[in-house]
């Protein structure tokens, strides 16, 4: 039997301003959309439920194209350190947690950003020892490319000055030659891989909380990279199977498979957790560089505020070639984290040397700094640029100090990408940024920080229209996952996934979208939030 969704403004996203009066669904699919009276007459006797949108505004379901889903769920389970004004505030939080926890219990926190502090210095081992001498402490920076620990953590993990640092990583040392507790990029694994493992119950709880929060934000699915961080690819996939398939937490999940998890996935994971309507496998994921905040994003020139470095190449050119070739041998596209133009250059060279399998598309994830010649290469390759508009609200203006003279560079150039005919998808990179797609749309359309009294606009020429911004999370995300023919639009044959907002964002100033609210989230014809 069919359902009729009506009494609201319904944007199909087939083209700008295209609306219909009603949508008919059955069996989790859209069977028709158009004039309400005509549809009711045609499907008379077949309709068993009419869903009243209450004057809300319906879109195809918003999909986050770049998220760490379990990591987002962990934000509800760990000490949150975002929004702090100075390093002393962070240390006070750690001290308070140490007073609450028994000696020996790990203190794990995340989300700090020293660029928001008056004195932009990283918290060190000595400072953490002072406030938490009896608890191992591990804190990850908001970008997740830098972590800091105390002495007890070094003792617990067996890491010392003689420990070999993996290629592509940095273990900081003080003037005395001793470790200062700061680990960057691949060196983080020295700590992360030796910490106590999480339980299966923990994974399932974090995943459940993440999905429920995504529903509240109007998100019906995501592209996520979780498979190399929690004690094994297969174990993590089984948590997804348990929560989404057995627990009926409907959520369209498209996996990117970290290259470190690829062998296990090929040998066991994909067989034990087969693809379905809600769980599917996409490209092999790799990291080509780090973050701008930690000065580890790989630039083609030295950092303006630290000319001693141009960033970090996580892999050599030969290793990058080998990894992309390995993805091709498995019949997979590749998805590469590349923030700096130096990293993008290396990635695109490897993509071109090893053509993507027919019918698949590679991804350049982030692509925050590009050059004209890189744009030309992107146009020639089957590559989607996976962008995170909310980075504009968090990275500016300090990122300009990192870059200095931007002549010849395109910074966070979303409009330039679209105008060049390069397909883009929109995501949050949660938990690094807020998961809210409304914040991402706001950032793409205004290029301003929320609540900024001066209303400073960063790169106004790169603003997107409201339609272009919403397309990132609908048609853009669908295209990135190879679902442009069955997701991302309100058309017959497409998935019955919808996001319903309280108000029409096309009918009010773009800044107002932050005050808009999600009225209803629908996945597979099921109202999961509302």
């Amino acid at each position: 039997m069919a359902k009729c969704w009506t009494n609201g403004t319904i944007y199909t996203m087939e083209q700008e301003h295209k609306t219909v009066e009603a949508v008919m669904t059955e069996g989790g699919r859209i069977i028709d959309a158009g004039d309400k009276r005509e549809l009711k007459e045609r499907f008379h006797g077949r309709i068993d439920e009419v869903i009243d949108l209450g004057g809300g505004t319906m879109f195809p379901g918003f999909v986050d194209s770049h998220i760490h889903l379990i990591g987002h769920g962990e934000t509800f389970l760990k000490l949150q350190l975002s929004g702090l004004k100075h390093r002393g505030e962070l240390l006070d939080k750690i001290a308070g947690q140490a007073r609450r926890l028994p000696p020996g219990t790990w203190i794990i926190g995340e989300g700090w950003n020293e660029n928001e502090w008056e004195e932009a210095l990283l918290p060190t081992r000595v400072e953490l020892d002072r406030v938490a001498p009896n608890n191992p402490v591990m804190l990850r920076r908001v970008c997740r490319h830098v972590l800091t620990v105390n002495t007890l953590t070094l003792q617990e993990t067996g890491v010392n000055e003689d420990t070999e640092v993996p290629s592509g990583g940095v273990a900081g040392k003080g003037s005395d030659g001793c470790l200062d507790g700061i680990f960057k990029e691949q060196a983080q694994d020295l700590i992360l891989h030796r910490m106590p493992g999480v339980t299966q119950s923990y994974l399932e709880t974090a995943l459940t909380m993440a999905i429920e929060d995504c529903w509240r934000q109007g998100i019906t699915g995501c592209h996520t990279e979780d498979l190399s961080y929690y004690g094994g690819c297969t174990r993590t996939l089984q948590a997804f199977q348990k929560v989404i398939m057995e627990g009926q937490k409907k959520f369209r999940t498209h996996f990117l498979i970290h290259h470190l998890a690829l062998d296990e996935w090929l040998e066991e994971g994909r067989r034990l957790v087969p693809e379905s309507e809600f769980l599917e496998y996409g490209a092999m994921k790799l990291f080509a560089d780090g973050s701008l905040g930690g000065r580890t994003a790989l630039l083609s020139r030295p950092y303006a505020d630290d000319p001693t470095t141009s960033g970090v190449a996580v892999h050599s050119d030969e290793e990058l070639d080998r990894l992309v070739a390995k993805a091709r041998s498995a019949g997979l596209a590749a998805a590469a984290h590349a923030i700096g133009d130096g990293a993008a250059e290396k990635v695109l060279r490897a993509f071109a040397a090893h053509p993507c399998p027919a019918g698949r598309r590679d991804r350049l994830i982030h692509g925050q700094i590009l050059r004209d010649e890189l744009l030309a290469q992107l146009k020639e390759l089957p590559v989607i640029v996976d962008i995170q508009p909310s980075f504009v609200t968090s990275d500016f203006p300090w990122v300009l100090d990192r870059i200095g003279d931007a002549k010849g560079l395109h910074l966070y150039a979303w409009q330039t990408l679209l105008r060049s005919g390069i397909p883009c998808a929109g995501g949050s990179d949660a938990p690094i940024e807020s998961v809210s797609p409304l914040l991402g749309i706001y950032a793409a359309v205004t290029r301003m920080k929320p609540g900024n009294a001066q209303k400073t606009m960063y790169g106004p020429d790169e603003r997107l229209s409201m339609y272009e911004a919403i397309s990132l999370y609908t048609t853009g995300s669908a295209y990135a996952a190879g679902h442009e023919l069955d997701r991302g639009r309100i058309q017959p044959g497409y998935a019955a996934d919808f996001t319903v907002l309280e108000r029409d964002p096309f009918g009010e100033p773009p800044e107002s979208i932050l005050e808009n609210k999600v009225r209803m989230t629908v996945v597979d014809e099921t109202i999961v939030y509302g």
Side-chain angles (χ1 to χ4, degrees):
M1 300 298 285
K3 296 179 181 179
C4 178
W5 308 75
T6 190
N7 191 28
T9 303
I10 302 172
Y11 288 99
T12 68
M13 297 306 289
E14 298 169 89
Q15 60 193 53
E16 192 166 4
H17 304 311
K18 174 68 182 296
T19 61
V20 293
E21 291 184 335
V23 178
M24 300 295 304
T25 64
E26 190 173 45
R29 293 275 150 186
I30 298 167
I31 55 175
D32 213 339
D35 179 81
K36 178 171 67 174
R37 180 178 295 179
E38 181 184 324
L39 290 175
K40 284 191 171 182
E41 287 177 358
R42 190 186 319 156
F43 292 97
H44 178 70
R46 190 168 160 187
I47 300 172
D48 67 345
E49 187 177 359
V50 176
I51 291 89
D52 187 343
L53 301 178
T57 302
M58 176 189 276
F59 293 95
F62 292 165
V63 172
D64 190 312
S65 69
H66 185 69
I67 191 176
H68 305 271
L69 194 59
I70 292 177
H72 176 54
E74 288 185 285
T75 64
F76 301 101
L77 305 175
K78 292 180 178 177
L79 190 62
Q80 296 308 304
L81 303 172
S82 60
L84 304 181
K85 302 302 181 186
H86 51 81
R87 193 164 69 257
E89 200 173 346
L90 177 142
L91 297 173
D92 287 344
K93 274 185 169 284
I94 303 305
Q97 192 78 334
R99 287 192 294 271
R100 285 187 288 272
L101 297 176
T105 303
W106 281 73
I107 297 174
I108 298 176
E110 60 187 14
W112 51 273
N113 184 355
E114 78 284 355
N115 292 307
E116 297 175 350
W117 302 343
E118 293 177 5
E119 190 178 18
L121 298 175
L122 303 178
T124 65
R125 163 187 179 178
V126 172
E127 292 173 309
L128 298 179
D129 284 348
R130 190 168 62 247
V131 296
N134 301 313
N135 299 81
V137 178
M138 192 285 288
L139 311 179
R140 294 194 82 177
R141 193 182 182 279
V142 61
C143 63
R144 292 198 161 199
H145 291 268
V146 180
L147 64 77
T148 184
V149 300
N150 66 351
T151 297
L152 200 50
T153 294
L154 295 176
Q155 293 171 355
E156 291 276 338
T157 57
V159 176
N160 57 44
E161 288 74 15
D162 297 324
T163 303
E164 183 178 355
V165 178
S167 174
V170 177
K173 291 184 178 180
S175 57
D176 58 359
C178 296
L179 291 173
D180 62 9
I182 298 168
F183 295 80
K184 298 181 179 182
E185 303 304 335
Q186 304 298 89
Q188 295 179 103
D189 292 343
L190 296 175
I191 303 297
L192 298 175
H193 290 176
R194 303 179 191 196
M195 290 173 59
V198 298
T199 65
Q200 201 69 12
S201 173
Y202 176 93
L203 290 180
E204 292 169 14
T205 299
L207 186 54
T208 298
M209 298 181 83
I211 290 172
E212 291 178 350
D213 187 58
C214 284
W215 288 344
R216 287 191 291 271
Q217 306 291 340
I219 301 171
T220 61
C222 74
H223 308 167
T224 185
E225 195 263 290
D226 297 278
L227 302 184
S228 71
Y229 306 114
Y230 301 102
C233 160
T234 303
R235 179 187 187 212
T236 306
L237 283 173
Q238 287 172 331
F240 277 86
Q241 174 87 4
K242 179 82 171 178
V243 172
I244 293 177
M245 303 306 294
E246 297 175 29
Q248 292 294 298
K249 293 285 184 186
K250 291 185 175 183
F251 196 68
R252 310 268 186 200
T253 306
H254 179 92
F255 290 108
L256 301 184
I257 306 146
H258 195 291
H259 74 88
L260 293 175
L262 185 62
D263 288 340
E264 184 186 350
W265 175 77
L266 288 169
E267 294 166 8
E268 188 174 16
R270 61 179 174 175
R271 176 180 55 82
L272 288 178
V273 182
E275 289 192 305
S276 67
E277 271 287 298
F278 300 103
L279 300 175
E280 66 179 22
Y281 301 112
M284 185 198 79
K285 168 76 179 290
L286 59 91
F287 285 82
D289 68 350
S291 72
L292 288 163
R295 296 186 187 83
T296 54
L298 186 63
L299 306 182
S300 59
R301 59 186 74 172
Y303 278 82
D305 58 356
D306 184 359
T308 65
T309 183
S310 298
V312 174
V314 174
H315 303 287
S316 67
D317 290 351
E318 294 74 21
E319 178 68 4
L320 203 56
D321 250 26
R322 186 190 71 78
L323 288 172
V324 175
K326 184 174 182 177
R328 305 314 195 213
S329 68
L332 299 177
H337 166 116
I339 287 179
D341 63 318
E345 181 178 348
K346 291 175 179 291
V347 165
L348 294 180
R349 186 187 305 132
F351 284 175
H354 305 278
C356 193
R360 295 186 179 271
R361 297 166 187 133
D362 291 324
R363 296 192 197 203
L364 187 74
I365 299 174
H366 306 311
Q368 286 159 239
I369 302 173
L370 297 168
R371 306 190 306 271
D372 283 340
E373 58 267 34
L374 301 178
L375 294 176
Q377 290 177 53
L378 283 166
K379 289 177 67 173
E380 296 299 318
L381 295 170
V383 178
I384 298 101
V385 182
D386 207 337
I387 69 173
Q388 295 70 46
S390 60
F391 281 7
V392 171
T393 68
S394 59
D395 291 2
F396 285 86
W398 62 260
V399 72
L400 299 174
D401 296 329
R402 296 280 195 272
I403 303 303
D405 181 7
K407 185 178 180 181
L409 299 178
H410 298 285
L411 306 183
Y412 302 62
W414 319 144
Q415 183 58 248
T416 294
L417 287 167
L418 293 181
R419 196 168 54 243
S420 300
I422 298 166
C424 296
S428 64
D429 207 5
I432 292 168
E433 298 288 339
S434 165
V435 77
S436 169
L438 299 186
L439 175 60
I441 293 166
Y442 166 88
V445 173
T446 69
R447 307 277 295 199
M448 296 190 300
K449 289 180 178 288
N452 179 256
Q454 289 74 37
K455 295 194 173 181
T456 306
M457 199 174 289
Y458 300 104
D461 292 345
E462 296 296 345
R463 286 175 295 172
L464 302 187
S465 70
M466 184 63 70
Y467 176 74
E468 289 168 332
I470 293 173
S471 294
L472 294 174
Y473 299 88
T474 53
T475 54
S477 289
Y479 186 82
H483 280 289
E484 65 271 23
L485 299 180
D486 64 355
R487 295 181 192 170
R489 290 185 172 90
I490 294 178
Q491 289 181 232
Y494 281 59
D497 300 343
F498 310 121
T499 300
V500 183
L501 304 180
E502 291 279 1
R503 306 193 308 274
D504 184 349
F506 291 103
E508 52 189 26
E511 303 94 284
S512 300
I513 197 165
L514 289 180
E515 281 74 55
N516 212 328
K517 290 183 171 57
V518 176
R519 172 169 287 188
M520 187 186 300
T521 306
V522 180
V523 183
D524 192 44
E525 205 182 11
T526 302
I527 299 173
V528 293
Y529 171 78

